[in-house]
Amino acid sequence: CLSMLAARALAADERTGEQIYRQQCALCHGAAGEGTKDHYGKPLIGDRPVAELATVIAETMPEDDPESCTGDDAQKVAAYIYDTFYSRAAQARKDRPRIELSRLTVRQYQNAVADLIGSFTPPGNWDEQRGLRAEYFKDRRFRDRALTRQDAMIDFDFGQSSPDNDKLAKDEFAIRWDGAVLAPETGEYEFIIKTQNGARLWVNDSQRPLIDAWVRSGTDIERRESMRLLGGRVYPLRLEFFKSKEGKETSASIALLWKPPHQVDQVIPQQNLSPNRVPMTFVVTTPFPPDDRSTGYERGTSVSKEWDEATTYAAIEVAGYVANNVQQLSGVSNTASDRQQRLREFCYRFAERAFRRPLSPDQKPFFVDRQFEGASSPETAVKQVVLLVLKSPRFLYREVSAGDLDQYDVASRISFALWDSPPDQPLLDAAASGQLNSHEQIARQAERMLGDLRSKAKVREFFHQWLRIDEIHDVSKDPELFPEFNETVLSDLRFSLDRFIDDVVWSEASDFRQLLLADWLYMNGRLAGTYGVDLPADAPFQKVSLDPQQRAGVLSHPFLLTGFAYHSTSSPIHRGVFISRSLLGRSLRPPPDAVTPLAPDLHPDLTTRERVLLQTSPMACRTCHDMINPLGLSLEHYDAIGRYRSQEKGRAIDAGGQYNTLAGETVAFAGVREMATFLANCPETHAAFVEQLFHHVVKQPVGAFGPDRLDELQNSFRGNEFNIRRLLVEITAASAQRL
């Protein structure tokens, strides 16, 4: 009997990882790790190294007998799982990523239509000038101009005085401000006029005022209206204002404010205004269903009935606009003798720009000529052409196949990567002349296009996703603990973070590491007192240097620390999840059950660190929290609104943490500066950033462009001193070239 038991034990020791898996794991996880309906319904895929997998298996698996697979058996089965179906390389072998059939995302559709219409209007000019052109008149009917100047912003309280005592009377005058306004991101903008006098405002429409308060009734001095604007674009703006000696008001004042997405009312700042005239930008108002973001980035890989209906209604909206404005867009007079032929030529150009390539001999009659032959009027023909073109797959779809690309396909990949929009004329000209063949040729175009406002808006949108800024909303804090915190402070903090990101990305070095290591940020007077900065109470936003041991880039930015915190306490778990997922690119499964945090009042003697460790001590929690907690706890020097503190509950803060790298190394750090230094130099951080930026730019899986593409881009990123702008160029070139 002893010899038989010894033989069985020897046989068990000689089992392979595959044999162990099939005997002890496959019942719940499936033969190929796909999961089973009755037990574990999720596939076994992830990014833990073999050593961590072995530890999890030894401590928790199988669930009905967690001590039956330990030691060498756990190591063997972990290695088998990792190599066969768990790791990224195993997944690629099993199901190689491919470039997927892709329609325009909602944002791409809106941008494409805006630029398609805009290609038939004169270009706007956004140069270094800031503010608005101002004309001051002696009477309310704008007939006698007395003064012309450039005003930085519109926020004037003239009282009972004149704007210029030498040229204007104090009891009657009028002012017209003219120029353009830049929308930094896509969303709803609320424009606000505050005046006790008469005023009216036009935004992106020269015919119909957005706000008409020319004749006031009652005592209300504030008028506001909302409109949707696309980010990275400049819109015409005109404001007219008057004070009349016939009116009841003896004083005069005027302020032009807006409420941008996720912010509070504020005077439109000088940096968002230009004195130059620009053409209108057409913005589709048809509502679309949201795009799929289940993989972490917007994709156009699914087509629903709702999306198809939205494209139909949007095409009708665009067709109506084009038909109603065809004289201005085509440049063809209503009385021109050859009007019909010239409108037909306009429609050829419209279809070519929508399809991002010249029309073939068969396409001209199908999309254009037939519409003119049967239409009751040229305007009807134009409307029919626009409808047919905008419902065509040639407009609605970007990636139809992964086959050979021609030069126009390359041009479209470049422009959608950087602008989420079709190619401009220089890019189309390069395609027509065969100048998009090499990496160098594509890179030159990408470098040119990066200076465009549309690129800057798309890059800002990426950082909002990378830092999970859009997940931070409806933030409130305990008013007894944080009486200085309110919506205005939160809005200022978001603006501060945006300025910080812009400063790093568009600097000459564009050094990714500075996002994590910088010991400065932007503060104004409202924020200064709260966060220990010496500035006057009315100081505008400016760059301020801080103690490098207390602040380190985005990791310690108060906006993120505030967002990833509770109502009255910090949240190491939320902060740790952010670092794990966004900065290190680690995948985390949601907790099996909804867990309510332990209330601080129930454990008044415990610090936040002690309370979190107590709550996550069960074995079922430790699988993820052994990674999450040490990362989040390293930010414990910051309270629920991101202020630095050295003590909690009368005890010194313990901000020690650690991380087990994918290479199997355990790295310890004490506080934010040490962790920031580790992350800034960690290959995992670099790889995660490169991959997430690729997915945001290209909206296709990076593995579809070659099994080594991610490694190549990461090596290039390192070789270019982690220059973010250069990485954008390399991603664009890598995704645009033929496969």
Side-chain angles (χ1 to χ4, degrees), residues 477-694:
K477 300 297 175 181
D478 188 326
E480 293 186 5
L481 295 175
F482 310 105
E484 60 276 89
F485 187 85
N486 53 39
E487 287 187 354
T488 301
V489 169
L490 186 65
S491 178
D492 283 348
L493 289 176
R494 183 183 175 110
F495 183 79
S496 166
L497 181 57
D498 280 341
R499 286 287 301 273
F500 172 79
I501 293 168
D502 289 346
D503 198 308
V504 172
V505 174
W506 304 108
S507 67
E508 183 176 354
S510 191
D511 190 343
F512 164 78
R513 295 167 295 188
Q514 284 302 302
L515 291 171
L516 297 162
L517 296 175
D519 58 4
W520 52 266
L521 48 73
Y522 280 89
M523 285 275 166
N524 65 0
R526 281 193 298 262
L527 297 177
T530 301
Y531 294 97
V533 177
D534 186 16
L535 287 178
D538 60 349
F541 274 99
Q542 55 196 274
K543 184 188 291 188
V544 295
S545 297
L546 303 169
D547 184 340
Q549 296 305 312
Q550 295 185 7
R551 297 288 171 181
V554 296
L555 280 173
S556 63
H557 194 283
F559 180 78
L560 295 179
L561 293 168
T562 298
F564 300 128
Y566 291 120
H567 184 63
S568 60
T569 68
S570 65
S571 175
I573 294 175
H574 285 93
R575 294 171 179 178
V577 168
F578 158 68
I579 297 169
S580 302
R581 286 179 170 162
S582 290
L583 304 187
L584 289 164
R586 299 296 296 268
S587 59
L588 296 171
R589 296 189 183 279
D593 301 303
V595 178
T596 302
L598 294 178
D601 294 345
L602 297 178
H603 301 275
D605 297 328
L606 297 183
T607 64
T608 301
R609 169 182 281 267
E610 293 167 338
R611 194 172 63 255
V612 167
L613 294 178
L614 174 64
Q615 180 175 354
T616 59
S617 59
M619 187 61 67
C621 302
R622 289 177 50 196
T623 301
C624 291
H625 283 277
D626 280 353
M627 175 173 62
I628 294 170
N629 292 356
L631 293 171
L633 289 168
S634 64
L635 299 178
E636 266 303 276
H637 275 302
Y638 305 97
D639 65 13
I641 63 170
R643 293 181 305 191
Y644 188 86
R645 58 183 180 173
S646 59
Q647 291 188 335
E648 183 188 18
K649 296 187 180 298
R651 286 180 275 170
I653 293 286
D654 178 1
Q658 66 178 39
Y659 175 67
N660 297 323
T661 70
L662 296 178
E665 178 186 5
T666 299
V667 180
F669 28 76
V672 68
R673 175 56 56 177
E674 290 186 11
M675 183 172 65
T677 302
F678 161 70
L679 290 172
N681 296 284
C682 177
E684 293 177 38
T685 310
H686 306 154
F689 182 80
V690 171
E691 182 173 26
Q692 291 175 76
L693 183 57
F694 186 99

Side-chain angles (χ1 to χ4, degrees), residues 137-213:
F137 298 84
K138 294 181 179 180
D139 63 61
R140 59 176 294 182
R141 293 177 175 83
F142 302 92
R143 292 178 301 191
D144 189 358
R145 184 170 58 195
L147 174 66
T148 299
R149 69 185 192 190
Q150 194 162 305
D151 289 336
M153 299 180 292
I154 302 176
D155 187 15
F156 297 102
D157 186 355
F158 303 115
Q160 297 184 9
S161 302
S162 163
D164 188 306
N165 291 324
D166 295 332
K167 298 181 178 180
L168 296 169
K170 64 180 181 179
D171 56 350
E172 181 166 350
F173 56 88
I175 311 171
R176 177 185 292 129
W177 289 277
D178 202 1
V181 60
L182 168 65
E185 61 181 288
T186 297
E188 289 291 321
Y189 287 76
E190 194 169 18
F191 287 86
I192 307 151
I193 291 177
K194 290 186 177 181
T195 182
Q196 70 268 45
N197 311 105
R200 53 193 173 196
L201 172 70
W202 292 261
V203 180
N204 204 32
D205 188 336
S206 62
Q207 303 300 316
R208 185 175 61 183
L210 177 66
I211 298 177
D212 190 345

Side-chain angles (χ1 to χ4, degrees), residues 24-81:
Q24 296 185 255
C25 311
L27 177 65
C28 293
H29 292 288
E34 73 278 12
T36 60
K37 182 178 180 181
D38 296 331
H39 296 280
Y40 193 80
K42 299 176 182 177
L44 275 179
I45 57 175
D47 53 19
R48 293 181 182 274
V50 173
E52 281 191 31
L53 281 178
T55 300
V56 171
I57 291 169
E59 294 180 350
T60 65
M61 295 292 154
E63 289 186 350
D64 58 349
D65 190 8
E67 296 184 0
S68 64
C69 187
T70 58
D72 289 343
D73 283 356
Q75 290 286 343
K76 289 178 184 179
V77 75
Y80 170 76
I81 291 171

